[in-house]
Amino acid sequence: MRLLKAILISILIITVFSLAIQEKILQKPYSQVILTGRGFVVPSARVILLNTNPKGGEYMIAIFDPEANKTIFLRRTDRPINKEVTLPHSGPYYVLIDSELPVVCALKGVASYPSKEILNIEYGMGGVSALLLAGIILLERKRNDKS
Amino acid sequence: MKTQLNWELNDHLNLLVFMFGSILTGITFHIHLLERGINFSVNPPTISQIFLESMRALGLSFPRLAEDIYTILVITGVLLSSLTLRYDKDTRLAMSIYSLPVKNYKLVLTKFIASFILLFLSVIIPFFLTLFYTYGDAPNLLKGALFGEGFFISYFMFWLLACVYVISLSSLIAELSPNLFASLLGGITLLYLPKILNITYLPPAVLNSAFLTSQTAFGSVAQKVLMLVDKAFVSCILIPLVLLGMTLLISEWRDVV
């Protein structure tokens, strides 16, 4: 019983610290350069600035989201692109570049934030563990009063 | 034996160390997860291949035995095994425990199991909790990576082997040492030595490399897990078994001193 209480208290404290930590760490700058088709894993939802520098000729660039199984950005053009793209959740994304001539594609993080689902999970988990802890303590007190 | 296990698992001091360990590992895991971002390439870029590779990349981006995580694991493990095996002898409480009509080695084995369970719980709960806190908004991919690609069982085995190694070595030190202080100091030093001397055939280096080679190999989930166990067999199963045997022998030969 005491072990269960210790586990619940740990979960509660980890949750509180996680909420504080993610605000702090997600402020760090994020950037990367993609030359050919390539996937990347982001640890949080974010808004990125997509910047391309084509050498001429038409090219196609797309960002695919395997979680929702859909393309979140698609553009076929022969000009440089400078556009903000929202990555709605954490996890892997895939950037596809289709071009005859090399295209440099730079992704620069504008803002990173925990998505609504993550916050729901964190608040839910923290709330459930706090309630369970309170329930166990109350039950124990009742049992002690009886005996 | 069951009563004793229950008693050890609910001991105040052990649980305090358990909470210390699990909170620190949880925070460190979350920092590692949030700071990490890895790239992966897909060849050929078809939709099904992208799915597969993105699940694999997600699984490989989970934290393993990095330097800070290993340090926390070592400190927690040494504290736990020293408290269960040595502290009661220092406070003379052991006089009444070891005089029970139970063989000494059984008592020590139970203490070993109790500290192992606590250490393992203090790693595995924060690991999956922070995983959920970071990638919980991509539930399909997370589920696919953990169960479809078998990362759940692989990481489970990985942390199990790490905890077995840490607890078995620190238990032997605790059983050999003259007091609590010597046991803490000796345990932490011996467990941290492979890291400083860069010994590649002892954890944490051997576990990390075994995990990477087994996960990047082609094969089914069972094959990958077997390969992980096989690569880390000597240092994480054979040596701990020998150390455990020595601990039990010493407990019979050396009475409560």
Side-chain angles (χ1 to χ4, degrees), chain B residues 218-250:
Chain B
F218 288 100
S220 67
V221 174
Q223 271 171 328
K224 282 179 182 171
V225 175
L226 275 182
M227 195 166 161
L228 169 66
V229 174
D230 180 51
K231 290 256 181 220
F233 183 76
V234 174
S235 60
C236 291
I237 293 179
L238 200 64
I239 292 179
L241 276 181
V242 173
L243 292 177
L244 176 61
M246 278 162 77
T247 312
L248 296 181
L249 271 179
I250 288 167

PDB file of all heavy atoms in Angstrom, chain B residues 218-250:
ATOM      1  N   PHE B 218      17.890  -6.611 -39.489  1.00  0.00           N
ATOM      2  CA  PHE B 218      16.612  -7.022 -40.044  1.00  0.00           C
ATOM      3  C   PHE B 218      16.186  -8.300 -39.348  1.00  0.00           C
ATOM      4  O   PHE B 218      17.009  -9.145 -39.031  1.00  0.00           O
ATOM      5  CB  PHE B 218      16.736  -7.246 -41.553  1.00  0.00           C
ATOM      6  CG  PHE B 218      16.873  -5.957 -42.306  1.00  0.00           C
ATOM      7  CD1 PHE B 218      18.117  -5.526 -42.724  1.00  0.00           C
ATOM      8  CD2 PHE B 218      15.771  -5.164 -42.563  1.00  0.00           C
ATOM      9  CE1 PHE B 218      18.258  -4.333 -43.396  1.00  0.00           C
ATOM     10  CE2 PHE B 218      15.908  -3.972 -43.236  1.00  0.00           C
ATOM     11  CZ  PHE B 218      17.157  -3.553 -43.657  1.00  0.00           C
ATOM     12  N   GLY B 219      14.902  -8.440 -39.115  1.00  0.00           N
ATOM     13  CA  GLY B 219      14.418  -9.659 -38.478  1.00  0.00           C
ATOM     14  C   GLY B 219      13.153  -9.380 -37.713  1.00  0.00           C
ATOM     15  O   GLY B 219      12.703  -8.240 -37.609  1.00  0.00           O
ATOM     16  N   SER B 220      12.582 -10.449 -37.138  1.00  0.00           N
ATOM     17  CA  SER B 220      11.340 -10.284 -36.387  1.00  0.00           C
ATOM     18  C   SER B 220      11.651  -9.722 -35.001  1.00  0.00           C
ATOM     19  O   SER B 220      12.804  -9.567 -34.623  1.00  0.00           O
ATOM     20  CB  SER B 220      10.636 -11.628 -36.265  1.00  0.00           C
ATOM     21  OG  SER B 220      11.405 -12.482 -35.457  1.00  0.00           O
ATOM     22  N   VAL B 221      10.579  -9.403 -34.262  1.00  0.00           N
ATOM     23  CA  VAL B 221      10.740  -8.810 -32.932  1.00  0.00           C
ATOM     24  C   VAL B 221      11.476  -9.767 -32.002  1.00  0.00           C
ATOM     25  O   VAL B 221      12.398  -9.380 -31.278  1.00  0.00           O
ATOM     26  CB  VAL B 221       9.355  -8.445 -32.361  1.00  0.00           C
ATOM     27  CG1 VAL B 221       9.486  -7.968 -30.932  1.00  0.00           C
ATOM     28  CG2 VAL B 221       8.702  -7.375 -33.217  1.00  0.00           C
ATOM     29  N   ALA B 222      11.091 -11.050 -32.035  1.00  0.00           N
ATOM     30  CA  ALA B 222      11.720 -12.036 -31.155  1.00  0.00           C
ATOM     31  C   ALA B 222      13.206 -12.153 -31.446  1.00  0.00           C
ATOM     32  O   ALA B 222      14.036 -12.242 -30.541  1.00  0.00           O
ATOM     33  CB  ALA B 222      11.032 -13.390 -31.326  1.00  0.00           C
ATOM     34  N   GLN B 223      13.545 -12.110 -32.740  1.00  0.00           N
ATOM     35  CA  GLN B 223      14.959 -12.196 -33.116  1.00  0.00           C
ATOM     36  C   GLN B 223      15.741 -11.011 -32.577  1.00  0.00           C
ATOM     37  O   GLN B 223      16.863 -11.141 -32.099  1.00  0.00           O
ATOM     38  CB  GLN B 223      15.084 -12.245 -34.636  1.00  0.00           C
ATOM     39  CG  GLN B 223      15.039 -13.651 -35.193  1.00  0.00           C
ATOM     40  CD  GLN B 223      14.958 -13.637 -36.702  1.00  0.00           C
ATOM     41  OE1 GLN B 223      14.381 -12.735 -37.299  1.00  0.00           O
ATOM     42  NE2 GLN B 223      15.532 -14.640 -37.317  1.00  0.00           N
ATOM     43  N   LYS B 224      15.113  -9.814 -32.645  1.00  0.00           N
ATOM     44  CA  LYS B 224      15.795  -8.611 -32.169  1.00  0.00           C
ATOM     45  C   LYS B 224      16.048  -8.694 -30.672  1.00  0.00           C
ATOM     46  O   LYS B 224      17.125  -8.360 -30.185  1.00  0.00           O
ATOM     47  CB  LYS B 224      14.946  -7.385 -32.479  1.00  0.00           C
ATOM     48  CG  LYS B 224      15.032  -6.955 -33.926  1.00  0.00           C
ATOM     49  CD  LYS B 224      14.147  -5.762 -34.177  1.00  0.00           C
ATOM     50  CE  LYS B 224      14.192  -5.373 -35.633  1.00  0.00           C
ATOM     51  NZ  LYS B 224      13.209  -4.358 -35.961  1.00  0.00           N
ATOM     52  N   VAL B 225      15.013  -9.145 -29.913  1.00  0.00           N
ATOM     53  CA  VAL B 225      15.163  -9.236 -28.457  1.00  0.00           C
ATOM     54  C   VAL B 225      16.235 -10.261 -28.106  1.00  0.00           C
ATOM     55  O   VAL B 225      17.098 -10.031 -27.259  1.00  0.00           O
ATOM     56  CB  VAL B 225      13.824  -9.587 -27.803  1.00  0.00           C
ATOM     57  CG1 VAL B 225      13.991  -9.810 -26.319  1.00  0.00           C
ATOM     58  CG2 VAL B 225      12.819  -8.477 -28.037  1.00  0.00           C
ATOM     59  N   LEU B 226      16.202 -11.413 -28.817  1.00  0.00           N
ATOM     60  CA  LEU B 226      17.209 -12.454 -28.568  1.00  0.00           C
ATOM     61  C   LEU B 226      18.608 -11.925 -28.857  1.00  0.00           C
ATOM     62  O   LEU B 226      19.555 -12.211 -28.127  1.00  0.00           O
ATOM     63  CB  LEU B 226      16.927 -13.676 -29.442  1.00  0.00           C
ATOM     64  CG  LEU B 226      15.928 -14.658 -28.873  1.00  0.00           C
ATOM     65  CD1 LEU B 226      15.766 -15.834 -29.806  1.00  0.00           C
ATOM     66  CD2 LEU B 226      16.386 -15.151 -27.507  1.00  0.00           C
ATOM     67  N   MET B 227      18.720 -11.123 -29.927  1.00  0.00           N
ATOM     68  CA  MET B 227      20.020 -10.587 -30.306  1.00  0.00           C
ATOM     69  C   MET B 227      20.520  -9.624 -29.228  1.00  0.00           C
ATOM     70  O   MET B 227      21.699  -9.619 -28.874  1.00  0.00           O
ATOM     71  CB  MET B 227      19.889  -9.860 -31.631  1.00  0.00           C
ATOM     72  CG  MET B 227      21.205  -9.576 -32.293  1.00  0.00           C
ATOM     73  SD  MET B 227      20.880  -9.102 -33.976  1.00  0.00           S
ATOM     74  CE  MET B 227      22.402  -8.301 -34.368  1.00  0.00           C
ATOM     75  N   LEU B 228      19.590  -8.823 -28.672  1.00  0.00           N
ATOM     76  CA  LEU B 228      19.955  -7.886 -27.599  1.00  0.00           C
ATOM     77  C   LEU B 228      20.468  -8.654 -26.388  1.00  0.00           C
ATOM     78  O   LEU B 228      21.516  -8.326 -25.820  1.00  0.00           O
ATOM     79  CB  LEU B 228      18.725  -7.046 -27.229  1.00  0.00           C
ATOM     80  CG  LEU B 228      18.812  -6.187 -25.979  1.00  0.00           C
ATOM     81  CD1 LEU B 228      19.836  -5.098 -26.166  1.00  0.00           C
ATOM     82  CD2 LEU B 228      17.468  -5.571 -25.654  1.00  0.00           C
ATOM     83  N   VAL B 229      19.738  -9.712 -26.009  1.00  0.00           N
ATOM     84  CA  VAL B 229      20.149 -10.505 -24.843  1.00  0.00           C
ATOM     85  C   VAL B 229      21.484 -11.187 -25.122  1.00  0.00           C
ATOM     86  O   VAL B 229      22.371 -11.234 -24.271  1.00  0.00           O
ATOM     87  CB  VAL B 229      19.056 -11.544 -24.512  1.00  0.00           C
ATOM     88  CG1 VAL B 229      19.518 -12.460 -23.407  1.00  0.00           C
ATOM     89  CG2 VAL B 229      17.787 -10.848 -24.097  1.00  0.00           C
ATOM     90  N   ASP B 230      21.630 -11.689 -26.339  1.00  0.00           N
ATOM     91  CA  ASP B 230      22.841 -12.409 -26.704  1.00  0.00           C
ATOM     92  C   ASP B 230      24.062 -11.497 -26.661  1.00  0.00           C
ATOM     93  O   ASP B 230      25.120 -11.855 -26.146  1.00  0.00           O
ATOM     94  CB  ASP B 230      22.648 -12.996 -28.104  1.00  0.00           C
ATOM     95  CG  ASP B 230      23.868 -13.759 -28.558  1.00  0.00           C
ATOM     96  OD1 ASP B 230      24.310 -14.616 -27.780  1.00  0.00           O
ATOM     97  OD2 ASP B 230      24.368 -13.500 -29.656  1.00  0.00           O
ATOM     98  N   LYS B 231      23.915 -10.267 -27.181  1.00  0.00           N
ATOM     99  CA  LYS B 231      25.057  -9.338 -27.230  1.00  0.00           C
ATOM    100  C   LYS B 231      25.480  -8.925 -25.826  1.00  0.00           C
ATOM    101  O   LYS B 231      26.647  -8.620 -25.594  1.00  0.00           O
ATOM    102  CB  LYS B 231      24.674  -8.083 -28.024  1.00  0.00           C
ATOM    103  CG  LYS B 231      24.508  -8.331 -29.483  1.00  0.00           C
ATOM    104  CD  LYS B 231      25.698  -7.823 -30.260  1.00  0.00           C
ATOM    105  CE  LYS B 231      25.470  -8.067 -31.727  1.00  0.00           C
ATOM    106  NZ  LYS B 231      26.634  -8.502 -32.433  1.00  0.00           N
ATOM    107  N   ALA B 232      24.505  -8.839 -24.899  1.00  0.00           N
ATOM    108  CA  ALA B 232      24.829  -8.367 -23.556  1.00  0.00           C
ATOM    109  C   ALA B 232      24.861  -9.521 -22.563  1.00  0.00           C
ATOM    110  O   ALA B 232      24.802  -9.307 -21.363  1.00  0.00           O
ATOM    111  CB  ALA B 232      23.807  -7.324 -23.121  1.00  0.00           C
ATOM    112  N   PHE B 233      24.982 -10.778 -23.067  1.00  0.00           N
ATOM    113  CA  PHE B 233      24.812 -11.942 -22.192  1.00  0.00           C
ATOM    114  C   PHE B 233      25.857 -11.987 -21.082  1.00  0.00           C
ATOM    115  O   PHE B 233      25.528 -12.103 -19.909  1.00  0.00           O
ATOM    116  CB  PHE B 233      24.873 -13.219 -23.035  1.00  0.00           C
ATOM    117  CG  PHE B 233      24.642 -14.465 -22.239  1.00  0.00           C
ATOM    118  CD1 PHE B 233      23.375 -14.815 -21.832  1.00  0.00           C
ATOM    119  CD2 PHE B 233      25.713 -15.269 -21.864  1.00  0.00           C
ATOM    120  CE1 PHE B 233      23.161 -15.943 -21.081  1.00  0.00           C
ATOM    121  CE2 PHE B 233      25.500 -16.401 -21.113  1.00  0.00           C
ATOM    122  CZ  PHE B 233      24.224 -16.740 -20.719  1.00  0.00           C
ATOM    123  N   VAL B 234      27.136 -11.850 -21.453  1.00  0.00           N
ATOM    124  CA  VAL B 234      28.213 -12.029 -20.474  1.00  0.00           C
ATOM    125  C   VAL B 234      28.127 -10.977 -19.375  1.00  0.00           C
ATOM    126  O   VAL B 234      28.134 -11.294 -18.190  1.00  0.00           O
ATOM    127  CB  VAL B 234      29.579 -11.975 -21.172  1.00  0.00           C
ATOM    128  CG1 VAL B 234      30.694 -12.018 -20.144  1.00  0.00           C
ATOM    129  CG2 VAL B 234      29.716 -13.131 -22.143  1.00  0.00           C
ATOM    130  N   SER B 235      27.995  -9.706 -19.768  1.00  0.00           N
ATOM    131  CA  SER B 235      28.089  -8.647 -18.762  1.00  0.00           C
ATOM    132  C   SER B 235      26.796  -8.453 -17.995  1.00  0.00           C
ATOM    133  O   SER B 235      26.821  -8.021 -16.855  1.00  0.00           O
ATOM    134  CB  SER B 235      28.497  -7.339 -19.423  1.00  0.00           C
ATOM    135  OG  SER B 235      27.543  -6.985 -20.370  1.00  0.00           O
ATOM    136  N   CYS B 236      25.645  -8.770 -18.597  1.00  0.00           N
ATOM    137  CA  CYS B 236      24.388  -8.442 -17.927  1.00  0.00           C
ATOM    138  C   CYS B 236      23.618  -9.654 -17.430  1.00  0.00           C
ATOM    139  O   CYS B 236      22.605  -9.502 -16.768  1.00  0.00           O
ATOM    140  CB  CYS B 236      23.499  -7.623 -18.848  1.00  0.00           C
ATOM    141  SG  CYS B 236      24.170  -6.006 -19.108  1.00  0.00           S
ATOM    142  N   ILE B 237      24.057 -10.880 -17.748  1.00  0.00           N
ATOM    143  CA  ILE B 237      23.376 -12.046 -17.202  1.00  0.00           C
ATOM    144  C   ILE B 237      24.366 -12.958 -16.475  1.00  0.00           C
ATOM    145  O   ILE B 237      24.154 -13.328 -15.323  1.00  0.00           O
ATOM    146  CB  ILE B 237      22.634 -12.820 -18.317  1.00  0.00           C
ATOM    147  CG1 ILE B 237      21.499 -11.966 -18.855  1.00  0.00           C
ATOM    148  CG2 ILE B 237      22.070 -14.121 -17.772  1.00  0.00           C
ATOM    149  CD1 ILE B 237      20.716 -12.580 -19.947  1.00  0.00           C
ATOM    150  N   LEU B 238      25.488 -13.271 -17.131  1.00  0.00           N
ATOM    151  CA  LEU B 238      26.447 -14.200 -16.535  1.00  0.00           C
ATOM    152  C   LEU B 238      27.121 -13.575 -15.319  1.00  0.00           C
ATOM    153  O   LEU B 238      27.124 -14.165 -14.223  1.00  0.00           O
ATOM    154  CB  LEU B 238      27.482 -14.589 -17.594  1.00  0.00           C
ATOM    155  CG  LEU B 238      28.241 -15.872 -17.313  1.00  0.00           C
ATOM    156  CD1 LEU B 238      27.287 -17.045 -17.323  1.00  0.00           C
ATOM    157  CD2 LEU B 238      29.339 -16.082 -18.337  1.00  0.00           C
ATOM    158  N   ILE B 239      27.695 -12.376 -15.482  1.00  0.00           N
ATOM    159  CA  ILE B 239      28.388 -11.723 -14.360  1.00  0.00           C
ATOM    160  C   ILE B 239      27.426 -11.462 -13.196  1.00  0.00           C
ATOM    161  O   ILE B 239      27.765 -11.789 -12.062  1.00  0.00           O
ATOM    162  CB  ILE B 239      29.096 -10.431 -14.851  1.00  0.00           C
ATOM    163  CG1 ILE B 239      30.248 -10.803 -15.781  1.00  0.00           C
ATOM    164  CG2 ILE B 239      29.617  -9.618 -13.679  1.00  0.00           C
ATOM    165  CD1 ILE B 239      31.005  -9.632 -16.339  1.00  0.00           C
ATOM    166  N   PRO B 240      26.228 -10.921 -13.430  1.00  0.00           N
ATOM    167  CA  PRO B 240      25.301 -10.745 -12.306  1.00  0.00           C
ATOM    168  C   PRO B 240      24.964 -12.040 -11.586  1.00  0.00           C
ATOM    169  O   PRO B 240      24.871 -12.053 -10.358  1.00  0.00           O
ATOM    170  CB  PRO B 240      24.059 -10.139 -12.961  1.00  0.00           C
ATOM    171  CG  PRO B 240      24.579  -9.402 -14.096  1.00  0.00           C
ATOM    172  CD  PRO B 240      25.721 -10.206 -14.608  1.00  0.00           C
ATOM    173  N   LEU B 241      24.818 -13.151 -12.334  1.00  0.00           N
ATOM    174  CA  LEU B 241      24.508 -14.427 -11.681  1.00  0.00           C
ATOM    175  C   LEU B 241      25.655 -14.848 -10.777  1.00  0.00           C
ATOM    176  O   LEU B 241      25.439 -15.289  -9.642  1.00  0.00           O
ATOM    177  CB  LEU B 241      24.226 -15.498 -12.738  1.00  0.00           C
ATOM    178  CG  LEU B 241      22.807 -15.530 -13.278  1.00  0.00           C
ATOM    179  CD1 LEU B 241      22.656 -16.654 -14.285  1.00  0.00           C
ATOM    180  CD2 LEU B 241      21.814 -15.711 -12.146  1.00  0.00           C
ATOM    181  N   VAL B 242      26.892 -14.705 -11.281  1.00  0.00           N
ATOM    182  CA  VAL B 242      28.066 -15.056 -10.477  1.00  0.00           C
ATOM    183  C   VAL B 242      28.123 -14.174  -9.233  1.00  0.00           C
ATOM    184  O   VAL B 242      28.355 -14.649  -8.116  1.00  0.00           O
ATOM    185  CB  VAL B 242      29.351 -14.894 -11.325  1.00  0.00           C
ATOM    186  CG1 VAL B 242      30.582 -15.077 -10.459  1.00  0.00           C
ATOM    187  CG2 VAL B 242      29.356 -15.893 -12.459  1.00  0.00           C
ATOM    188  N   LEU B 243      27.891 -12.867  -9.429  1.00  0.00           N
ATOM    189  CA  LEU B 243      27.939 -11.934  -8.305  1.00  0.00           C
ATOM    190  C   LEU B 243      26.862 -12.266  -7.279  1.00  0.00           C
ATOM    191  O   LEU B 243      27.114 -12.239  -6.071  1.00  0.00           O
ATOM    192  CB  LEU B 243      27.741 -10.498  -8.804  1.00  0.00           C
ATOM    193  CG  LEU B 243      28.857  -9.914  -9.658  1.00  0.00           C
ATOM    194  CD1 LEU B 243      28.481  -8.531 -10.133  1.00  0.00           C
ATOM    195  CD2 LEU B 243      30.147  -9.846  -8.880  1.00  0.00           C
ATOM    196  N   LEU B 244      25.674 -12.631  -7.765  1.00  0.00           N
ATOM    197  CA  LEU B 244      24.586 -12.986  -6.843  1.00  0.00           C
ATOM    198  C   LEU B 244      24.954 -14.229  -6.048  1.00  0.00           C
ATOM    199  O   LEU B 244      24.756 -14.294  -4.826  1.00  0.00           O
ATOM    200  CB  LEU B 244      23.293 -13.214  -7.635  1.00  0.00           C
ATOM    201  CG  LEU B 244      22.088 -13.689  -6.825  1.00  0.00           C
ATOM    202  CD1 LEU B 244      21.709 -12.669  -5.778  1.00  0.00           C
ATOM    203  CD2 LEU B 244      20.902 -13.955  -7.729  1.00  0.00           C
ATOM    204  N   GLY B 245      25.540 -15.232  -6.751  1.00  0.00           N
ATOM    205  CA  GLY B 245      25.976 -16.445  -6.070  1.00  0.00           C
ATOM    206  C   GLY B 245      26.990 -16.128  -4.987  1.00  0.00           C
ATOM    207  O   GLY B 245      26.902 -16.635  -3.862  1.00  0.00           O
ATOM    208  N   MET B 246      27.958 -15.246  -5.311  1.00  0.00           N
ATOM    209  CA  MET B 246      28.973 -14.871  -4.331  1.00  0.00           C
ATOM    210  C   MET B 246      28.329 -14.160  -3.146  1.00  0.00           C
ATOM    211  O   MET B 246      28.693 -14.398  -1.991  1.00  0.00           O
ATOM    212  CB  MET B 246      30.022 -13.964  -4.984  1.00  0.00           C
ATOM    213  CG  MET B 246      31.074 -14.732  -5.753  1.00  0.00           C
ATOM    214  SD  MET B 246      31.957 -13.686  -6.892  1.00  0.00           S
ATOM    215  CE  MET B 246      33.046 -12.825  -5.776  1.00  0.00           C
ATOM    216  N   THR B 247      27.359 -13.263  -3.434  1.00  0.00           N
ATOM    217  CA  THR B 247      26.675 -12.543  -2.346  1.00  0.00           C
ATOM    218  C   THR B 247      26.016 -13.519  -1.397  1.00  0.00           C
ATOM    219  O   THR B 247      26.142 -13.407  -0.174  1.00  0.00           O
ATOM    220  CB  THR B 247      25.614 -11.609  -2.945  1.00  0.00           C
ATOM    221  OG1 THR B 247      26.178 -10.875  -4.011  1.00  0.00           O
ATOM    222  CG2 THR B 247      25.067 -10.665  -1.905  1.00  0.00           C
ATOM    223  N   LEU B 248      25.317 -14.538  -1.967  1.00  0.00           N
ATOM    224  CA  LEU B 248      24.606 -15.498  -1.124  1.00  0.00           C
ATOM    225  C   LEU B 248      25.585 -16.336  -0.306  1.00  0.00           C
ATOM    226  O   LEU B 248      25.376 -16.588   0.890  1.00  0.00           O
ATOM    227  CB  LEU B 248      23.717 -16.394  -1.992  1.00  0.00           C
ATOM    228  CG  LEU B 248      22.598 -15.674  -2.737  1.00  0.00           C
ATOM    229  CD1 LEU B 248      21.766 -16.652  -3.538  1.00  0.00           C
ATOM    230  CD2 LEU B 248      21.714 -14.909  -1.776  1.00  0.00           C
ATOM    231  N   LEU B 249      26.710 -16.743  -0.962  1.00  0.00           N
ATOM    232  CA  LEU B 249      27.727 -17.534  -0.253  1.00  0.00           C
ATOM    233  C   LEU B 249      28.305 -16.737   0.909  1.00  0.00           C
ATOM    234  O   LEU B 249      28.440 -17.252   2.025  1.00  0.00           O
ATOM    235  CB  LEU B 249      28.852 -17.905  -1.225  1.00  0.00           C
ATOM    236  CG  LEU B 249      28.697 -19.198  -1.999  1.00  0.00           C
ATOM    237  CD1 LEU B 249      29.890 -19.395  -2.915  1.00  0.00           C
ATOM    238  CD2 LEU B 249      28.577 -20.365  -1.031  1.00  0.00           C
ATOM    239  N   ILE B 250      28.635 -15.463   0.624  1.00  0.00           N
ATOM    240  CA  ILE B 250      29.249 -14.632   1.658  1.00  0.00           C
ATOM    241  C   ILE B 250      28.277 -14.424   2.808  1.00  0.00           C
ATOM    242  O   ILE B 250      28.668 -14.425   3.977  1.00  0.00           O
ATOM    243  CB  ILE B 250      29.703 -13.287   1.053  1.00  0.00           C
ATOM    244  CG1 ILE B 250      30.917 -13.523   0.171  1.00  0.00           C
ATOM    245  CG2 ILE B 250      30.055 -12.278   2.139  1.00  0.00           C
ATOM    246  CD1 ILE B 250      31.273 -12.370  -0.697  1.00  0.00           C
TER     247      ILE B 250
END
